[in-house]
Amino acid sequence: MSDRDYAPLSLACVRALIDKQYDKRKAAASEIEKMAKEFVVVNNTGQIRKLLKVLGYEFTMSQNPNFRKGGLIGLAAVAIALGKDSSEYVEALIRPILTNFSDNDSRIRYYACESLYNVVKVARGSVLPYFTEIFKNLSKLAADHDQAVKNGSEHLDRLLKDIVTENATFDLVAFMPHLRERLYSKNTFSRQYIISWVSVLHAVPEIELILFLPDILDGLFNMLSDQNIEIKKMCETVLKEFLRSINKDPTRADFNLMINVLILHAQMHDELLQYTSLTWIHDFICLSKKVMLPYTSGILSAILPCLAYEGESKKRLKEVAEKVNTLLMGLIDTSIDTAEEEDNQQLDLHSVLEVLTKQSIHTSVKTIIASLKWIYHLHTGIPIKMESEMETVFPILLCSLKDQADDVVQHAIYVLAQFVSPKEEGPGKSEPSPYFTRVLVSLLNLFRRDRQALEDRGSFIIRQLCVLLNAEEIYKSIAKILKTETDLKFARVMVDTLNTILLTSSELLNLRNRLKTEGSELLFKTLYETWCHNPVATIALCLLTQNYAHVANLITTLSNYEVSVEFLAEVDRLVQLLESPIFIYLRLQLLQTPENYYLIRAMYGLLMLLPQSEAFHVLRHRLDCIPRHINCIQRSDVNFEDGNKFKRMNFNELLEHFKKIQDNHAHQRLSERSDALFKTSVKMLNP
């Protein structure tokens, strides 16, 4: 080893600098500091650079760890000697030190921290052009397994933060990719380090970190779900500060670039993460209004499931979701209905309805109801645009009609009713909805496919529709649809359901009274032609309308057809209905003579149809109550024109129609039996 190899360092200085003992290295560093000061005094920049080159390359990049230790302490000594002039030599000072931050020897990593600390302490703001590189290295050392190294890096980190706070001139644009990358670190200490820097940078007004918030927002929210409570608290605090800044000056926030991040995290299972995301979404809607419209579907995906939350633990989550829901609904108005498609604030209605379709089959009643309310809100707010989405809407509503919860079914019916209500065209004028018949057809198709739905919900649905809409129009329209029904079994069951509702439901009181009055012949005829699918329902309809002569003829005609157990059960139910308050007028008419001739005959006809069951005895006892002198009416006393209330009705034509329908049913039953017998025979021959 010669003096020329490490000039301007002497051989003795070199030997001391690479000695294993720290005291000797420190003494060598003092000599180097003295030498560097002399160079500064005489402005010998050449010797200074030569000294830095020797220390930076020959020592800190040596394979010998003692050389590296000596180089690090030597560079720190030069920096101290240079003082304020160190800014001219920052690169030569910093880069060799940074290469040792990842050294395998923990002592060398510690000395690198110590060395850089001394450089930064004297160079101050001059090191900011290298801030990104220093930051990357320190973020790794924050998770170092050696406590001494961690302590050293923390001292350096605090110094850097002081410098940044007082002199924010570093390149934030170049720094952001590194900050964003480190935000996704899984190490607890690294995360704490990163969050602390985000907080510091945001606190410096000149830095305007909020402009770069879209770059780091996902990483911050990702950290919010960390299992470490300290990290959660730190991150929560930082996010609150950012949101406070956004509320203070919304013009500096890019809502479009951040909202999708919030929507994503609002659907996670971490409670704090969800709550914070929804709070941000709430404030975004308040601040940016219709800028949020294009993101309605995503926001709905996040908030609708939250409406189902129960219990104190998730109370605040549900409350903020409800607030967001209300705000979002407030954005929907008629101005959207006429907006151009290329409008940047356009509502993507189709994607919204896709979300509502998905949420309408949620396990929570509250979420389903909220989805139905949204459909109604869209219908009333933007009816023009909703016109083109009916194909999407109807299946949602019809599916909801099969729900087990009464509240869901009731809301679905209400929305359906609003869709098909007549449109007001002016005072006293209205235009029928083009969807009225379509809804009823869809409803009947639902009942045809799902008989259980008809049995469980059919009566409830029809009654509610009759309350919300015109009951007479509903019954006439359904009757016209069923008139061409090819599934005769379904037609019979459907008529039985409609007839039971008509005769028993308080919601149908006005329609019953309407059928009892003269002038309702057309309504009666419309119903009758369909009611013929069910003989007992036909009899009941004619009893309700007081066309007793025709009832007697119908009962006589039934002797030509097969009497099934199902038929007898329906007659049994009719007898029970005759004892109800609805038919008080009929029971009193049994006392009228001689007008009651056909009524009594019809009652005895029903009695003869029944086996001697409980219903038989009920009806017989009722007829036994008729005074004997009334019961002995002579045929000559009867005014045949009084047999039916509707004098202008062609009952012979109606009777022929009844026979035709019954023949069709008989033919179908025979055909079904033949098919069943054939299948049984084939099965026996081909076991």
Side-chain angles (χ1 to χ4, degrees), residues 319-493:
E319 288 176 349
V320 71
E322 288 172 343
K323 290 178 182 178
V324 172
N325 192 48
T326 301
L327 284 174
L328 202 57
M329 279 188 164
L331 301 181
I332 308 297
D333 56 38
T334 53
S335 65
I336 303 172
D337 223 11
T338 55
E340 297 295 330
E341 292 296 328
E342 59 270 15
D343 190 340
N344 291 331
Q345 296 182 1
Q346 180 67 22
L347 176 74
D348 186 352
L349 182 57
H350 188 71
S351 65
V352 169
L353 290 174
E354 284 184 346
V355 172
L356 296 177
T357 300
K358 181 179 179 181
Q359 297 300 329
S360 69
I361 55 174
H362 196 274
T363 54
S364 166
V365 169
K366 292 182 179 179
T367 296
I368 299 172
I369 290 176
S371 301
L372 294 173
K373 286 182 177 179
W374 258 99
I375 292 174
Y376 172 72
H377 186 70
L378 292 169
H379 170 66
T380 55
I382 49 173
I384 297 174
K385 291 190 182 299
M386 281 292 282
E387 286 281 340
S388 61
E389 296 291 344
M390 289 302 183
E391 295 296 332
T392 304
V393 171
F394 279 140
I396 301 175
L397 300 176
L398 291 172
C399 182
S400 298
L401 292 177
K402 297 190 292 182
D403 199 276
Q404 296 297 311
D406 287 349
D407 285 349
V408 171
V409 177
Q410 203 151 17
H411 276 83
I413 295 169
Y414 181 77
V415 177
L416 272 172
Q418 298 306 311
F419 270 86
V420 300
S421 294
K423 297 179 180 178
E424 297 296 327
E425 295 292 319
K429 295 182 180 179
S430 61
E431 179 186 349
S433 168
Y435 298 104
F436 183 82
T437 301
R438 183 176 174 185
V439 166
L440 296 179
V441 169
S442 299
L443 187 60
L444 291 176
N445 287 338
L446 169 65
F447 292 151
R448 187 187 297 105
R449 292 191 306 268
D450 190 343
R451 298 296 175 85
Q452 193 64 44
L454 173 59
E455 184 177 329
D456 295 341
R457 292 292 187 200
S459 177
F460 179 73
I461 292 169
I462 294 169
R463 284 190 290 110
Q464 293 300 311
L465 282 175
C466 288
V467 170
L468 296 168
L469 300 170
N470 186 300
E472 181 174 332
E473 290 301 318
I474 289 175
Y475 262 70
K476 285 197 302 186
S477 298
I478 292 178
K480 289 175 182 177
I481 297 167
L482 287 174
K483 188 176 179 180
T484 57
E485 179 62 51
T486 56
D487 185 343
L488 300 185
K489 280 187 175 180
F490 171 69
R492 179 188 178 107
V493 172

Side-chain angles (χ1 to χ4, degrees), residues 576-627:
Q576 301 300 328
L577 275 174
L578 293 175
E579 292 296 315
S580 69
I582 291 173
F583 282 101
I584 285 177
Y585 72 92
L586 183 147
R587 298 197 297 272
L588 290 173
Q589 286 175 353
L590 290 171
L591 300 175
Q592 297 175 5
T593 59
E595 294 88 350
N596 66 348
Y597 172 80
Y598 283 108
L599 174 56
I600 293 173
R601 179 179 165 185
M603 292 297 99
Y604 274 106
L606 284 177
L607 188 67
M608 294 303 108
L609 287 175
L610 286 167
Q612 294 193 30
S613 60
E614 182 181 349
F616 173 88
H617 294 296
V618 168
L619 183 54
R620 190 193 68 181
H621 289 318
R622 174 62 64 184
L623 294 173
D624 286 346
C625 294
I626 301 174

